[in-house]
Amino acid sequence: MALFCTLFFITVFNISFWQRLSVWLSPLGFYEITVFFMVFLLISAVLYLVFCLLLIPFLFKPVVISLILATSAISYFMMQYGVMIEKNMVRNAAQTDFLESLDLISWGMIVWLFLTALLPIAIIIKTKIQYRSLYREILVRSAFVFAACCTIALVGFCYYQDFASLFRNHREIRFVVTPFNYLQATSSYLKEHFATPKALVLIGQDAKHFTRSNQPQVLVLVVGETARADHFSLNGYSRETNPKLSQAQDIINFSNMWSCGTETAVSIPCMFSGIPREKFELDIAAGQENVLDVLRHTKKIDVLWLDNNSGCKGVCERVAGEKLFETKPSATYCEGQECFDEVLVENLEQKLKKISRDTVIVLHQKGSHGPAYYKRYPKKFAVFQPECQTSELQKCTQAEITNSFDNTILYTDYVLDKIIGLLNTQQHITTAMWYLSDHGESLGENNLYLHATPYVFAPDAQKHIPMLMWFSANWQQQNRVSLTCLGKQTARLYSHDNVFSTLLGLMQVQTQVYQREHDILAHCQKDPFNV
């Protein structure tokens, strides 16, 4: 039984790994084939050792059945979308809401689970494992364990240099060998998740708010989802995906913006934290306040988070917030708990009527969240055809996937233009809008789909994001914002590291945690703290 499980796991559940390894070793000559076989032998020996140690009455079957169920599902997603499994991916999965999970379930997945999970489990359940007498079982099992250990040691010793070179050049190996990848990742995530909570670290308690305006100032910060900078026609994309924004007045588009992470669960906490990406750790960010808290410390600025996605990932815990698809589903823009992003505009309009003092309103979009891109926009925005109308992206051509994704960008363009139009009509408040995405997306390039690839291995498509700003005439005048100056900054390198201080600068908040060198508007907004 240990041998059966070993062969099944090493072949069926690691198809994605063997495909990657063949590419890494190509072109395949005699030496490369030898290394390939030795890697196969090494992993097989390790798996066999594990299953031999697990082969204990009343323990083996429950553990192996659990492993088969988990590994079957994970191997499917690895093959289907080319993903790697590490701690952040596990966190991303744990924080995915029910509706997003439904988008990932397909007939292809059901068939795969039936063939690679239910059938093997049925075989294991029906197979009666014959154990020897205790003394003989220990003797025989020890021999098998010793043989496996010798194989591991011999292969490792003889091919150490080859393996060292392979692992050095392809450090992502540890993220693609199942079941070790998700077991290690899950262990790391659970250790972090259940760590003893620490007292919240307070920051920016010295925050003071200055204003030149006689009217309440309202900044609408739109946090996009999964948008790619290179698919915005504002950034030179060949398709017209920004027909509305390209005609809008006073738009400043930043073409060289980069995300802090490749998944929402990392990017959103990071961009609001004030911690540079190189030093960012989620547990540290979760244990201290963020820029929304600093705004709140002024006692003169209201903060509101309106969500049409899977939540704020802890960022908005201490400010007012609403999940619109749960609390205020719109008859116009929602079906069940799925809402188009215009629901954000609808609710924003109601909130603006009640504004009485300076306010930051964060709108968290559904945006271009995959793999069901076709669900993210109304049918009238299905301009680029043919579109991919399934979450099983492997069933669609690259062109169809791109068409569906571009339709989501076209819809985002419409939503942002609608927000600007709404803000521009407000007579009782001074308004501005700032849009940026949380991360990008892979659309099948190099057989990689979706996002959440470990940052160091992730392609630019998952990290290069769109960002733009719009300021009403009153905002420009009262806050002395020079669009001419900003227009000269659009090609400069910026990242989520700039969000913290730029947001404080925009709202004229003075505090020791503000860093002028990270404020995008620092040189284009005269004397932000001098009324």
Side-chain angles (χ1 to χ4, degrees), residues 244-245 248 412-422 433:
K244 296 287 187 181
L245 293 176
T412 290
D413 171 81
Y414 175 80
V415 171
L416 294 178
D417 181 71
K418 199 170 181 180
I419 292 172
I420 292 172
L422 174 63
M433 186 199 75

Side-chain angles (χ1 to χ4, degrees), residues 98-116:
F98 178 70
L99 291 175
E100 289 179 351
S101 299
L102 287 180
D103 286 342
L104 296 171
I105 297 175
S106 63
W107 284 111
M109 180 182 180
I110 293 172
V111 171
W112 175 260
L113 289 174
F114 176 78
L115 294 175
T116 65

Side-chain angles (χ1 to χ4, degrees), residues 38-39 41-47 49 144-163:
M38 289 303 163
V39 172
L41 186 59
L42 180 65
I43 298 176
S44 297
V46 173
L47 279 171
L49 175 62
F144 287 144
V145 168
F146 179 74
C149 289
C150 287
T151 302
I152 294 169
L154 185 62
V155 173
F157 178 77
C158 294
Y159 286 86
Y160 172 78
Q161 293 295 338
D162 305 284
F163 291 161

Side-chain angles (χ1 to χ4, degrees), residues 9 50-51 54-56 58-71 124 182-183:
F9 272 73
V50 171
F51 287 122
L54 287 174
L55 199 56
I56 300 172
F58 307 109
L59 174 67
F60 181 78
K61 287 189 177 182
V63 172
V64 170
I65 287 172
S66 300
L67 283 173
I68 288 176
L69 284 171
T71 312
I124 290 172
Y182 73 84
L183 290 176

Side-chain angles (χ1 to χ4, degrees), residues 506-524:
L506 279 168
M507 297 306 295
Q508 298 91 46
V509 175
Q510 189 174 40
T511 169
Q512 289 183 353
V513 293
Y514 168 81
Q515 295 178 293
R516 181 175 172 82
E517 65 271 20
H518 289 157
D519 184 352
I520 296 173
L521 277 77
H523 301 291
C524 301

